[in-house]
Amino acid sequence: MNFEIFRSAQRQASSLRIALIGKKIKTLQILEPVVVRPKAGGVIEEIRTIGREIELILDDGTVIRTKLKFAGAWRVFRSNSVAANKVDGADVLIEVQDRIAVCIGASEIETYHDFDPRRHPLLGRRGPDLTDRQSDLELCVDLMLGYEDADATIAEVLLDQRVMRGVGNVFRCELLWTCEMHPWARVSSLNRDESRELVSLAAEMLQSQFATQNRKLAVYGRHGKNCPRCGGQVRVTHHGEANRVLYWCADCQTRHSGTSASRYVTEHHTPPGVHPAEFIYLSELGRTRKSG
Ligand SMILES: [Zn+2]
């Protein structure tokens, strides 16, 4: 593998992270027919590089994988800039509030769902959809209380489609913060009242303006910034089998902290003031240099 090209893919991924992560997608176009067609309205929460390939992971678990030709590249423009308007024939175009990212010269584009049995159950029935006003919230509570894996964390269970549907990753972080709940409290430590409180608040927030409007987020995407409730520092961690990002405040999300399970948790020791994406990029680059 050509080292320069590899490093260039990492550079592109770094600019994509800074431009796109945590922002609501306004437009998403893919020129070629793809199996899973990602929708606008979601949020990009991770950018991964594998050699010359760049993968963009959406908050619903959809992955857009682009493999670049020799002259191919991802470019980022400011919205409304002259250069952005001149882009023609982009293979992929993603527009967020203030930036447009385009992929030109891809040799392969593929979309798929990140494998997560909780998010995409292969067997069994799916839980109530919390965005639906008619959904049976008591059934959700029963499913949480009778959860088969007693050591599972509440952060994982909120994304389990067999228990409830409609809670995306951004929303999960905000919900746990609102309830002052430690993200990896064991699901089995919650009593019926606490489970009901989480489920009804989730349904209320999903069915209200909160889910549709450009709301101000308390923790999601705010790593290193101050928690709006207690002034503590918002942290970012990877969590769960699918290793999804999780933003939280360790200072005030303390409910059930005594029962927390530490499995599948990867702490980011990102220095304050440094964007976690930038930190990950620099760490990756460091590893490449050592091994290259
Ligand atoms: Zn706090």
Side-chain angles (χ1 to χ4, degrees), residues 3 10 64 71 92 102 119 138 140 151 161 203 229 236 239 248 284:
F3 175 68
Q10 291 198 335
I64 305 170
V92 183
V102 292
R119 192 180 279 269
E138 280 306 305
C140 276
D151 280 340
Q161 306 283 292
R229 182 167 50 214
V236 63
H239 179 67
W248 63 296
E284 280 174 3

Side-chain angles (χ1 to χ4, degrees), residues 177 227 229-232 249 251-252:
W177 179 83
C227 165
R229 182 167 50 214
C230 76
C249 174
D251 294 336
C252 63

